[in-house]
Amino acid sequence: MIGPDEIADGLSDDVLASVEIMVTAGSTFDPDLVAKLPALKLVACFSTGIEAIDCDLLERRGIQLTTAAGVNAHDVADQAFALMLAQWHSVLQADALVRDGGWQQGFLQGLAPRPSLKGKRAGIVGLGRIGSEVATRAAAHAMDVRWWGPREKPDAPYERVGSLGALAEWADVLFLACAASAQNAGMINRSVLDALGPRGIMINFTRGMLVDESALRSALMSGQLGGAGLDVFLEEPTDAALWKDVPNCVLSPHIAGFTQEAGEDMFGQLRENVRRCISGEELLTPYFT
Amino acid sequence: MIGPDEIADGLSDDVLASVEIMVTAGSTFDPDLVAKLPALKLVACFSTGIEAIDCDLLERRGIQLTTAAGVNAHDVADQAFALMLAQWHSVLQADALVRDGGWQQGFLQGLAPRPSLKGKRAGIVGLGRIGSEVATRAAAHAMDVRWWGPREKPDAPYERVGSLGALAEWADVLFLACAASAQNAGMINRSVLDALGPRGIMINFTRGMLVDESALRSALMSGQLGGAGLDVFLEEPTDAALWKDVPNCVLSPHIAGFTQEAGEDMFGQLRENVRRCISGEELLTPYFT
């Protein structure tokens, strides 16, 4: 076992030549290091997202990759809904109102009535494991569900819209559940946010790099976008000053997949993949199939 | 049409004798006034809850009652989930952490990992229209659902537990979706809260009078109860000072059923019931059937 400190200190070519398994997060990947590991057989990633991992490079060299895909899809979808409902129902404002003594007698209570969620439109970008869990929850909340992704899914029980722009135009709530890959960087740009519009809200709980965050903040501040729920950011931790005057958004510190159970499952699956690689068995969760 | 001010000022017996229809909320009901209305045919209530209305008195006198039951069951269940997820996912603490610059680099983020909702137990008190909507949402969030109510429902798709105490003992989240009637006052007492316990949370979004609120605050402050989400209170507006030092709860000012659409539906239904009563047609939403 070689730890991050030893890697940082530099390792002899002999040691590097003996490395067969690399354990990593999907957000950090050093191709120069991989180039120095001629015996590498497996990159065992303990996260679901693999945005920094050069999959082409691994495939070319016949190096296998395992991820935590699917382990915490339920948890991530639950966080998406926690943020969405908090924004839609003004949970933070309501709690502050009651605690600050601002609740007035009468029918208006100091908050404007919200629109009913029933019949509103949930647009899901990416109908993979997480997107499907989001869809199940949206349907149970009596929302109308459509989705977009680059590939048709003939078995999908929801209608696929022709483009991301068309989905944003249609949706009241846009959920970003797509892969955090390099080609998706910045896909939620100003024109997508404009299509979602002043009554729409965007929920991001996969990777910050999917969104033009500066355009997002401008759209929230101008009212051009109705609201947002964000568990992920372009840089993490995000600079609190960036969000100081940004209204109509609920923020959380990248905790969507971070449950007690998911932690155990992710590391259990990682250990099992490493064990199987060492003993020459078939991997539990191979990425390349 | 006679308004509240004229009633407060006092009305002549002649005017009172001519009143056939009374429009009211379910939280206010004056039996002395009803006694002075010999021609009363209909009490048209624009709320779902009818906790103050003396149904026995109305039935004895053959006075009909209409309510808004069912109009906003979806909205109320959505608010129940907004509060439950806000408490379960620490949405308020997470937002404050990010905005105050407390998000630290690394895996722990300054918040303890939450338990996964998947497989946790949703106990629903009362499986009427609202309780059923709560159950649908809980099932979509991969929770295990059981319920209790005084009457068996042979067609219910969820298991009925033998008693309220047994449901609280079993549940991780207890949703109060039962009728706000006099016999249910204080049903959520100290022993029910103790059965729910330090890892359990209670969500109340129907009527404050269901809960021994002083026992609830004590249980939250001692940690004997894990958490709460409250849209309703014993007195409304609730005194902010009562909640000042009470941890692990998310509060909202009785807005569960308060959507733009429900308001229109409630008053539309009320107008239609009044119109039908005047023209001698069958009522749209009769309470006594």
Side-chain angles (χ1 to χ4, degrees):
Chain A
M1 284 275 281
I2 304 168
D5 294 344
E6 291 157 282
I7 295 171
D9 288 345
L11 292 164
S12 73
D13 288 351
D14 276 6
V15 171
L16 291 172
S18 70
V19 169
E20 295 183 332
I21 298 172
M22 174 190 283
V23 173
T24 184
S27 53
T28 54
F29 186 74
D30 180 355
D32 293 339
L33 178 61
V34 170
K36 291 180 200 158
L37 305 174
L40 192 63
K41 291 199 291 195
L42 171 66
V43 172
C45 172
F46 53 77
S47 63
T48 300
I50 51 165
E51 71 275 29
I53 293 180
D54 184 342
C55 293
D56 291 343
L57 168 68
L58 298 187
E59 273 201 295
R60 269 200 313 277
R61 280 197 38 197
I63 299 167
Q64 298 202 72
L65 171 65
T66 55
T67 75
V71 160
N72 55 4
H74 280 86
D75 298 321
V76 173
D78 286 339
Q79 180 74 16
F81 260 76
L83 292 172
M84 189 276 277
L85 290 172
Q87 179 57 34
W88 195 272
H89 289 244
S90 302
V91 167
L92 278 75
Q93 294 81 349
D95 185 79
L97 186 84
V98 175
R99 290 180 193 274
D100 296 347
W103 182 359
Q104 301 297 321
Q105 185 72 52
F107 210 61
L108 283 170
Q109 285 115 329
L111 292 171
R114 67 184 188 274
S116 178
L117 256 191
K118 184 182 177 183
K120 294 300 183 301
R121 298 162 165 186
I124 302 180
V125 184
L127 198 68
R129 272 177 281 216
I130 292 173
S132 297
E133 289 297 336
V134 170
T136 299
R137 286 155 181 73
H141 283 270
M143 300 184 79
D144 190 5
V145 177
R146 296 188 188 175
W147 68 285
W148 174 81
R151 280 174 298 280
E152 276 286 7
K153 292 183 187 258
D155 297 337
Y158 309 101
E159 183 179 333
R160 178 172 175 262
V161 173
S163 69
L164 173 58
L167 186 72
E169 185 76 48
W170 174 82
D172 296 298
V173 182
L174 193 70
F175 290 98
L176 307 190
C178 49
S181 60
Q183 70 262 36
N184 287 341
M187 69 192 291
I188 308 298
N189 55 24
R190 193 190 165 124
S191 96
V192 173
L193 297 173
D194 282 353
L196 190 54
R199 299 180 59 163
I201 72 175
M202 190 204 74
I203 311 296
N204 190 11
F205 45 96
T206 42
R207 283 294 183 270
M209 48 89 89
L210 298 171
V211 179
D212 178 342
E213 206 176 74
S214 157
L216 171 64
R217 278 191 297 268
S218 297
L220 287 168
M221 292 183 77
S222 68
Q224 180 65 31
L225 180 67
L230 304 173
D231 187 55
V232 290
F233 301 85
L234 207 51
E235 287 191 50
E236 298 184 356
T238 189
D239 182 354
L242 291 172
W243 303 96
K244 187 171 178 301
D245 298 314
V246 183
N248 300 320
C249 57
V250 181
L251 313 177
S252 59
H254 202 151
I255 55 173
F258 185 49
T259 60
Q260 294 165 8
E261 291 84 349
E264 289 168 23
D265 291 350
M266 285 160 81
F267 290 107
Q269 201 179 76
L270 178 80
R271 274 193 300 269
E272 178 63 11
N273 276 312
V274 168
R275 189 195 68 72
R276 291 188 183 196
C277 179
I278 291 171
S279 64
E281 297 170 44
E282 203 176 329
L283 295 172
L284 183 64
T285 57
Y287 186 81
F288 306 123
T289 50
Chain B
M1 284 274 283
I2 304 167
D5 293 345
E6 291 156 282
I7 294 170
D9 288 346
L11 292 165
S12 74
D13 288 351
D14 277 6
V15 171
L16 291 172
S18 70
V19 170
E20 295 183 331
I21 298 172
M22 173 191 283
V23 173
T24 184
S27 54
T28 54
F29 186 75
D30 178 355
D32 294 339
L33 177 61
V34 171
K36 292 180 199 157
L37 305 175
L40 191 63
K41 292 198 291 195
L42 171 65
V43 173
C45 172
F46 53 77
S47 63
T48 300
I50 51 164
E51 70 277 28
I53 292 180
D54 183 343
C55 292
D56 290 343
L57 168 69
L58 298 186
E59 273 202 293
R60 270 201 313 276
R61 281 194 40 196
I63 299 168
Q64 297 201 72
L65 171 65
T66 56
T67 75
V71 161
N72 55 4
H74 280 86
D75 298 321
V76 173
D78 286 338
Q79 180 74 15
F81 260 76
L83 292 173
M84 189 277 277
L85 290 172
Q87 179 57 35
W88 195 272
H89 288 244
S90 301
V91 167
L92 279 76
Q93 294 82 347
D95 185 79
L97 186 84
V98 176
R99 289 181 192 276
D100 296 347
W103 181 359
Q104 301 297 320
Q105 185 72 51
F107 210 60
L108 284 169
Q109 285 114 331
L111 291 171
R114 67 185 188 274
S116 178
L117 256 192
K118 183 183 177 184
K120 293 301 184 300
R121 297 162 165 187
I124 302 179
V125 184
L127 199 67
R129 273 177 278 217
I130 292 173
S132 297
E133 290 296 337
V134 170
T136 300
R137 286 154 180 73
H141 282 270
M143 299 184 78
D144 190 5
V145 177
R146 295 188 187 174
W147 68 285
W148 174 82
R151 280 174 299 280
E152 275 286 6
K153 292 182 187 256
D155 297 337
Y158 309 102
E159 184 179 332
R160 178 172 175 261
V161 173
S163 70
L164 174 57
L167 186 71
E169 186 76 50
W170 175 82
D172 296 298
V173 182
L174 193 70
F175 290 98
L176 307 189
C178 50
S181 61
Q183 70 262 36
N184 287 343
M187 71 191 292
I188 307 299
N189 56 26
R190 194 190 165 124
S191 95
V192 173
L193 297 173
D194 281 353
L196 190 52
R199 299 180 59 164
I201 73 175
M202 190 204 75
I203 310 296
N204 190 12
F205 46 95
T206 42
R207 282 294 182 270
M209 47 90 88
L210 298 172
V211 178
D212 178 341
E213 206 175 75
S214 157
L216 172 63
R217 279 191 296 269
S218 297
L220 287 168
M221 293 182 77
S222 68
Q224 180 63 32
L225 180 66
L230 304 171
D231 187 55
V232 291
F233 301 85
L234 207 51
E235 289 191 50
E236 297 182 357
T238 190
D239 181 353
L242 291 174
W243 303 95
K244 187 171 177 301
D245 299 314
V246 183
N248 299 320
C249 56
V250 181
L251 313 177
S252 60
H254 201 151
I255 55 174
F258 184 50
T259 59
Q260 295 164 8
E261 291 84 349
E264 289 167 23
D265 290 349
M266 286 160 80
F267 290 107
Q269 202 179 75
L270 178 80
R271 274 193 302 269
E272 178 63 10
N273 276 312
V274 168
R275 189 195 67 73
R276 290 188 184 197
C277 179
I278 291 169
S279 65
E281 297 170 45
E282 202 176 330
L283 295 171
L284 182 65
T285 57
Y287 186 81
F288 306 121
T289 50

